[in-house]
């Protein structure tokens, strides 16, 4: 989990009321992307969360064909 410096964030971002990346407040960010030093959650909107942590490549399994 990434720890963010609260001094670089706005109060809304520190309280999880605004996206930590784009500052968007509506709809309220719902994806937890990190924490503050006091263990408070840092939130991001869905689009920004994907940009911060892109999905890992899926594991492809090969099955023998008949």
């Amino acid at each position: 989990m990434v720890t963010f410096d609260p001094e670089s964030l706005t109060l809304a971002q520190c309280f999880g009321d605004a996206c930590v990346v784009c500052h968007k407040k509506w709809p309220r960010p719902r994806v937890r992307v990190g924490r503050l030093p006091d263990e408070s959650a840092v939130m991001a909107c869905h689009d920004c969360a994907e940009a911060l942590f892109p999905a890992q490549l899926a594991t492809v399994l090969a099955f023998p064909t008949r």
Side-chain angles (χ1 to χ4, degrees):
M1 189 65 54
V2 178
T3 303
F4 287 83
D5 178 14
E7 290 186 17
S8 63
L9 304 176
T10 65
L11 283 177
Q13 289 172 316
C14 287
F15 289 115
D17 293 329
C19 176
V20 72
V21 178
C22 71
H23 301 269
K24 185 168 58 172
K25 293 182 182 180
W26 185 257
R28 189 168 191 236
R30 297 180 184 216
V31 182
R32 183 179 177 158
V33 294
R35 63 181 175 210
L36 297 175
D38 68 358
E39 301 298 323
S40 299
V42 175
M43 309 299 279
C45 61
H46 182 72
D47 293 336
C48 290
E50 284 185 357
L52 284 173
F53 305 107
Q56 295 180 358
L57 296 175
T59 302
V60 178
L61 301 175
F63 294 101
T65 57
R66 293 184 181 187

